[in-house]
Amino acid sequence: MCLLLLPFIIFLHLLPATIPAAAPPLHPGYYANSCPNAELIVRNVMKKAMIREPRSGASVMRFQFHDCFVNGCDGSMLLDDTPTMLGEKLSLSNIDSLRSYEVVDEIKEALETACPRTVSCADIIIMSSRDAVALSGGPDWEVKLGRKDSLTASQEDADAIMPSPRANATTLIDLFAKFDLSVKDLVALSGSHSIGNGRCFSIVFRLYNQSGTGRPDPSIEPKFRQKLDKLCPLGGDGNVTGDLDFTPRIFDNQYFKDLVNGRGFLNSDETLYTYWKTREYVKRYSEDQDEFFRDFVEGMIKMGDLQSGRPGEIRKNCRVVNGGPPMDLVVDGYKDRRILSY
């Protein structure tokens, strides 16, 4: 009998110390019984935030992309750094770029008042991103909910996966493919740049040293380049911002019309028109806003399905885990980051 059990015992010994739990099922109406006004609360806070500070809509909308691509949609990007954890807020793609975290704080406070310890911060990102689009004149859609909040965050993971504003279309296609997102999804989701602003820091290389040539990107329309040269002079303030398209407060298909005319702000935008695999979608969306809206919604839902399957919780405060700071433990000679609850 002992000999028969030996292979099984060896198998158990070889298993990792922790096995990721299965990702929770997501579905519309998840809070219908536990917090029936959850979506209404989120939208009302978003509406007030966007009236107070119009840029906050674009800022919050981007949270879904920055959260979901780094270990799934788990609210990890909202965690503040601790003495033992470098989170994602200071990662290369987020520092001096993402903003309006306080809007999520306001939403969470309102939800905790109505339904304590019920609605996850990860779901707040999904709902508020949807609402930012709808309140800016874009499409509205039903979101799937039921996510748990991560127990940790990783600046290293964010730096390893998030794309640079210098990225070209082939790099972006390969990145999205890792998440089973298609070329169509890439172009449609890039339409999130229909609203908001970008920093001069992100385009100085396009204006003065594209691909190390010492010359500007030839795809930039000349008059538009003159406008950008004035906005972002060489050696100027890299934190000055410019509009990502000609209607930066309205979610529409103007972004794609601008790309067709050589007026994309970021290299990662204009490359979608100059590269043959993505150009056709840019053309189609520039001519048919309804098609863009349909494909954008489809892409947002698919991106919202990304989950790591790791254990999670419902945070009371989106900036910190419930049980205490993450700590590094040594298990069988290997460093293992865990949460010590107390």
Side-chain angles (χ1 to χ4, degrees):
M1 179 68 70
C2 291
L3 290 176
L4 292 173
L5 289 176
L6 185 58
F8 180 68
I9 294 172
I10 293 173
F11 169 74
L12 289 178
H13 180 72
L14 293 175
L15 286 175
T18 58
I19 303 175
L26 306 176
H27 58 82
Y30 183 86
Y31 299 109
N33 296 319
S34 59
C35 191
N37 291 323
E39 294 192 53
L40 179 61
I41 290 170
V42 175
R43 179 154 300 198
N44 285 340
V45 176
M46 277 300 302
K47 187 180 299 183
K48 292 176 183 177
M50 290 173 65
I51 292 172
R52 182 175 68 239
E53 214 287 75
R55 280 187 65 193
S56 63
S59 301
V60 172
M61 178 189 62
R62 307 212 201 299
F63 285 178
Q64 179 169 335
F65 173 58
H66 286 254
D67 188 43
C68 293
F69 265 41
V70 183
N71 299 319
C73 310
D74 60 3
S76 59
M77 60 153 288
L78 299 173
L79 288 173
D80 288 339
D81 288 356
T82 73
T84 56
M85 183 196 76
L86 289 178
E88 298 164 29
K89 288 184 175 179
L90 298 182
S91 65
L92 294 174
S93 61
N94 296 348
I95 188 172
D96 295 327
S97 178
L98 291 188
R99 53 196 297 282
S100 298
Y101 294 105
E102 71 281 356
V103 176
V104 173
D105 294 337
E106 292 175 28
I107 293 171
K108 184 59 172 173
E109 183 178 359
L111 287 169
E112 284 297 306
T113 299
C115 318
R117 298 288 182 94
T118 301
V119 181
S120 69
C121 301
D123 278 345
I124 289 175
I125 289 176
I126 298 297
M127 289 185 281
S128 59
S129 295
R130 181 268 313 272
D131 292 345
V133 173
L135 291 170
S136 298
D140 202 347
W141 65 95
E142 193 172 50
V143 291
K144 291 187 282 185
L145 303 170
R147 298 163 189 81
K148 294 293 188 290
D149 297 323
S150 69
L151 304 179
T152 188
S154 171
Q155 183 181 123
E156 182 179 0
D157 289 352
D159 285 340
I161 196 68
M162 295 304 294
S164 162
R166 302 186 182 193
N168 59 33
T170 54
T171 299
L172 294 171
I173 288 171
D174 291 343
L175 171 62
F176 274 61
K178 292 178 181 178
F179 300 99
D180 292 325
L181 294 170
S182 66
V183 173
K184 181 183 75 171
D185 296 326
L186 162 63
V187 180
L189 289 171
S190 295
S192 64
H193 287 176
S194 169
I195 56 176
N197 302 85
R199 293 189 300 150
C200 286
F201 171 81
S202 300
I203 65 167
V204 168
F205 73 98
R206 286 192 76 203
L207 299 178
Y208 305 105
N209 191 29
Q210 178 77 331
S211 302
T213 62
R215 299 178 62 82
D217 180 352
S219 70
I220 307 175
E221 191 270 327
K223 289 185 178 179
F224 185 59
R225 194 184 74 224
Q226 291 176 9
K227 177 182 176 180
L228 294 180
D229 286 344
K230 185 176 181 179
L231 178 72
C232 307
L234 189 62
D237 184 354
N239 287 319
V240 170
T241 61
D243 298 336
L244 289 175
D245 79 353
F246 277 24
T247 57
R249 300 291 177 264
I250 302 173
F251 193 97
D252 54 18
N253 68 336
Q254 182 63 47
Y255 164 81
F256 296 103
K257 295 177 182 178
D258 289 346
L259 297 189
V260 171
N261 292 317
R263 297 174 181 172
F265 188 82
L266 300 174
N267 189 77
S268 55
D269 290 330
E270 194 60 47
T271 186
L272 299 177
Y273 185 68
T274 58
Y275 189 58
W276 66 275
K277 282 189 177 180
T278 47
R279 182 184 302 122
E280 185 57 35
Y281 288 110
V282 173
K283 286 182 178 179
R284 284 163 53 179
Y285 296 154
S286 72
E287 298 167 356
D288 190 337
Q289 181 168 278
D290 289 340
E291 181 179 5
F292 161 49
F293 281 5
R294 286 193 300 271
D295 290 351
F296 179 82
V297 169
E298 180 182 323
M300 289 290 277
I301 292 172
K302 288 171 68 175
M303 182 166 58
D305 286 340
L306 298 176
Q307 296 188 81
S308 69
R310 297 176 179 179
E313 65 180 7
I314 305 296
R315 289 187 215 134
K316 183 176 182 180
N317 180 338
C318 291
R319 294 175 180 263
V320 296
V321 296
N322 293 333
M327 300 185 68
D328 288 330
L329 303 179
V330 176
V331 180
D332 294 334
Y334 295 93
K335 184 179 285 189
D336 185 23
R337 176 151 287 181
R338 306 284 185 83
I339 299 297
L340 294 184
S341 298
Y342 52 84

